[in-house]
Amino acid sequence: MKIIAVGMNYANHNKEMHHSLFISEPVVFMKPDSALLKDGKPFFIPDFSSDIHYETEVVVRIGRLGKNIAEQFAHRYYDEVTVGIDFTARDLQADLRKKGLPWEISKGFDGSAVTGDFVPLSEAGDVRKLDFHLDIDGNTVQYGNTADMLFPVDRIIAYASRFFTLKIGDLIYTGTPAGVGTVCIGNHLQGFLGDRKLLDFHVR
C-alpha cells in the first residue's frame, strides 16, 4: 500500500501559502505506509517540529489495479472515500524549501497521514462536489468542496498512474483548501464529509 498526495490543488490555499496560482499539472508527492494513522488513534506531536499543521483532505481508496489510466475511465478505479489529515511539519518544510532540498521528512513522518472511516461513493455522493470540513475542539476551522479542486479526482488518478502502478488499497490524498493551521497537545479533531462525521481523534 502506498499513499499518493497532491499539493497545491485549491487556489484559495495557494493564495494563503503564497504559492503560484498557475499550475499546469498536479503536484504529486508520496508518504510511506508508516505515515498512516487510522481507527481514531491519537496523533503524537513529534519532537522535531514546533509547528505541525493540519491539512484536511478528501481521500479516495483505489479498488482496482491500474496503469496509464485514461481520465474518462478513472472512476472505475475507486469506490470509497473519506476525510483525512495530511499533517505537515511546516517549520521543517520551510527550512528545506529555502535550502532547495527535498522536503519529504516534513510530510511523510510517522502518523502524518490520518484517515477516517471509508464510505462507499454510492453513499457519499458525487466526488466532484463533496462538502467537507474539520472541527477542532468543536469549532469549524477548515471547509472545502471538491468542486473547487484545480485538478479533480479522475484527473489526479490518470496523471499519477502514468508514473506509478496503482494497486488495490492505495490511498490518494486530493489536496487541502484554505484554512490550514497549527495543532496543539490536547486538541480534539473531527472531520466531516457533508454532515457525516468520519474522522475523530485527539492530539497528544
Side-chain angles (χ1 to χ4, degrees), residues 24 35 59 69 72 79 83 90 134 157 170 189 195:
S24 59
V59 182
I69 301 166
Q72 63 265 38
D79 58 8
V83 177
R90 195 69 74 196
L134 176 70
I157 287 175
D170 287 350
L189 278 66
D195 295 327

Side-chain angles (χ1 to χ4, degrees), residues 73-118:
F73 301 125
H75 66 278
R76 300 178 180 177
Y77 289 81
Y78 62 97
D79 58 8
E80 292 184 309
V81 64
T82 191
V83 177
I85 303 288
D86 166 22
F87 276 124
T88 304
R90 195 69 74 196
D91 47 358
L92 282 185
Q93 185 186 49
D95 184 57
L96 291 165
R97 277 180 165 165
K98 189 185 302 181
K99 296 174 181 177
L101 298 173
W103 39 264
E104 278 82 357
I105 60 172
S106 72
K107 284 283 194 178
F109 56 89
D110 289 354
S112 63
V114 188
T115 59
D117 298 324
F118 281 87

Side-chain angles (χ1 to χ4, degrees), residues 39-175:
D39 300 328
K41 293 178 181 176
F43 170 76
F44 290 89
I45 293 180
D47 60 6
F48 51 74
S49 174
S50 58
D51 193 19
I52 298 291
H53 277 205
Y54 59 83
E55 299 187 12
T56 313
E57 314 197 3
V58 168
V59 182
V60 297
R61 182 156 56 192
I62 297 299
R64 180 178 176 184
L65 184 71
K67 173 70 175 175
N68 289 320
I69 301 166
E71 185 173 348
Q72 63 265 38
F73 301 125
H75 66 278
R76 300 178 180 177
Y77 289 81
Y78 62 97
D79 58 8
E80 292 184 309
V81 64
T82 191
V83 177
I85 303 288
D86 166 22
F87 276 124
T88 304
R90 195 69 74 196
D91 47 358
L92 282 185
Q93 185 186 49
D95 184 57
L96 291 165
R97 277 180 165 165
K98 189 185 302 181
K99 296 174 181 177
L101 298 173
W103 39 264
E104 278 82 357
I105 60 172
S106 72
K107 284 283 194 178
F109 56 89
D110 289 354
S112 63
V114 188
T115 59
D117 298 324
F118 281 87
V119 295
L121 274 176
S122 58
E123 296 180 16
D126 188 344
V127 75
R128 296 170 298 180
K129 50 183 180 181
L130 294 177
D131 281 316
F132 61 101
H133 70 274
L134 176 70
D135 288 358
I136 296 183
D137 300 333
N139 299 307
T140 299
V141 296
Q142 197 173 18
Y143 165 82
N145 188 292
T146 56
D148 296 325
M149 287 181 176
L150 299 178
F151 304 101
V153 173
D154 289 357
R155 174 79 180 277
I156 292 168
I157 287 175
Y159 181 80
S161 72
R162 291 174 55 195
F163 307 97
F164 314 110
T165 297
L166 300 183
K167 296 184 177 182
I168 296 172
D170 287 350
L171 303 180
I172 299 183
Y173 281 65
T174 59

